[in-house]
Amino acid sequence: YAGRRRSRKAMSWWWLCIVGAAAFRAPVRMTTTVSAPVEGPKLTAERYIASNRFVTRPGAAAKFEARWANRKSRLATLDGFRYFTLLRQVPEDPSKAAKYDYMSFTIWEDKPSFDAWRQGDAFKEAHGGTGIGAFLTAMVSSLQVLKGPPSPVFYDGLLHLAAPPVDDPTRVVDGGWRVVDADGVSLLPAECFVAANRFAVRPGAEADFEERWSRRDSALAEMPGFKSFTMLRRDGAPANDPMGDDFNYMSFTVWQDKDSFLNWRNSNSFKDAHAAKPKSDDAPKAQPPWLRPPSVAFWEGVLELSSPQGA
């Protein structure tokens, strides 16, 4: 009986890994007033994002990346797929760093496209296959590199903006997945840089928060190195999040590299987008829609993969 209990515990842990692993146009937006379709008080989702958060064991980061690089996947061939990257955290301030050091990030055309992948054979192939031998091999491999099961999180993508993808002959794709040299010893070279602002928006203030973003002026898409922007609205309540992540919105900008991001941050475009609007002396002080100031997070992405249409 004790043996069965241990077996069930291991199977339960691995099932969490499998379920968690599922979490995994030319620029025209953010230069005028609201242009996104509205459904009720909130903006309608234009993309669906599936993400998975991972905590790797000390010294196992390169092995973890190699597992992703060498996995069997045909992700880029699937209907509704738009973009993927595996993100590793770049903690600028360790005191504000997330509790996870890796995050998979997949953009789908919509939620039904994601659901179709998660319920299909392509998902099973990418997560160890259906045979007991492949299942056990994948489970043992995960136990060696991860501290606990992955933690999935899902988002609606709002105000989506993407530059057309640039053809790079050095990035080989075969059968819908990247071909890279991953030896499990050295980390993979960064292929993009992500800057994010995480917001804990007050209950009932979500529509006001979204409207503020939809009305802001920005020349983001005109900046060199810009790849994509999405305002992520969490699909599901963040309460009791296993990673302690209680943010329900996140502005998520993908850049070609860190230098491109720094160039934008030091530009007049950044200053104009973040300039305070002039207020009348008689105007009442408005309460911000968030509970506390936003928290900045940075990642660098590897194994970047895009559809022909871009993100």
Side-chain angles (χ1 to χ4, degrees):
Y1 176 74
R4 290 198 299 272
R5 289 185 62 186
R6 286 193 294 269
S7 175
R8 288 173 181 172
K9 185 177 180 180
M11 293 285 283
S12 175
W13 190 96
W14 180 242
W15 176 243
L16 282 172
C17 291
I18 291 179
V19 173
F24 42 121
R25 357 192 250 212
V28 294
R29 188 67 51 74
M30 296 180 69
T31 55
T32 59
T33 56
V34 178
S35 56
V38 177
E39 184 177 78
K42 298 180 184 179
L43 300 179
T44 299
E46 301 168 47
R47 296 288 189 273
Y48 193 73
I49 290 82
S51 182
N52 224 341
R53 300 164 296 179
F54 305 87
V55 180
T56 57
R57 293 184 179 276
K63 291 181 180 179
F64 177 73
E65 293 182 7
R67 282 191 58 215
W68 276 87
N70 299 324
R71 72 192 305 186
K72 182 179 180 181
S73 177
R74 46 190 170 99
L75 185 62
T77 68
L78 302 178
D79 291 340
F81 167 78
R82 300 302 295 258
Y83 178 84
F84 169 86
T85 187
L86 177 64
L87 299 169
R88 61 185 176 222
Q89 189 177 186
V90 182
E92 298 285 320
D93 183 351
S95 66
K96 299 180 181 180
K99 293 183 179 180
Y100 47 94
D101 50 346
Y102 280 88
M103 178 172 70
S104 62
F105 186 84
T106 310
I107 300 179
W108 295 92
E109 184 74 31
D110 48 34
K111 189 173 183 178
S113 298
F114 164 70
D115 289 336
W117 168 74
R118 186 168 57 173
Q119 297 165 10
D121 291 339
F123 172 81
K124 298 174 184 176
E125 294 169 3
H127 296 91
T130 57
I132 186 62
F135 173 85
L136 292 174
T137 298
M139 183 174 72
V140 171
S141 179
S142 287
L143 288 170
Q144 292 173 342
V145 299
L146 294 179
K147 294 174 63 177
S151 178
V153 62
F154 308 96
Y155 301 94
D156 292 324
L158 315 176
L159 301 170
H160 186 73
L161 178 68
V166 177
D167 185 31
D168 185 347
T170 66
R171 298 189 181 184
V172 180
V173 177
D174 183 23
W177 190 242
R178 287 289 304 280
V179 178
V180 300
D181 183 15
D183 57 11
V185 177
S186 301
L187 294 177
L188 296 176
E191 298 175 335
C192 64
F193 184 81
V194 172
N197 250 337
R198 300 173 294 175
F199 301 87
V201 176
R202 290 185 292 104
E206 296 90 348
D208 177 36
F209 175 79
E210 293 178 12
E211 183 182 18
R212 288 189 181 203
W213 275 87
S214 65
R215 289 186 179 277
R216 70 186 302 182
D217 293 328
S218 175
L220 188 67
E222 301 170 12
M223 297 301 298
F226 169 80
K227 287 192 171 185
S228 69
F229 169 88
T230 313
M231 173 56 72
L232 305 180
R233 178 179 64 204
R234 188 156 179 170
D235 182 10
N240 301 318
D241 183 273
M243 295 292 182
D245 186 349
D246 64 345
F247 304 104
N248 51 357
Y249 283 85
M250 180 162 55
S251 65
F252 198 91
T253 310
V254 183
W255 296 93
Q256 179 178 325
D257 48 35
K258 188 175 182 178
D259 287 343
S260 298
F261 162 70
L262 293 176
N263 179 56
W264 168 73
R265 193 169 64 175
N266 295 326
S267 70
N268 289 330
S269 175
F270 175 85
K271 296 174 184 177
D272 293 342
H274 295 81
K277 303 297 182 183
K279 296 181 180 180
S280 168
D281 293 338
D282 299 329
K285 186 176 181 180
Q287 182 183 18
W290 45 80
L291 296 169
R292 58 183 183 275
S295 175
V296 178
F298 300 103
W299 289 276
E300 52 188 13
V302 301
L303 299 172
E304 197 177 34
L305 186 67
S306 178
S307 71
Q309 300 91 343

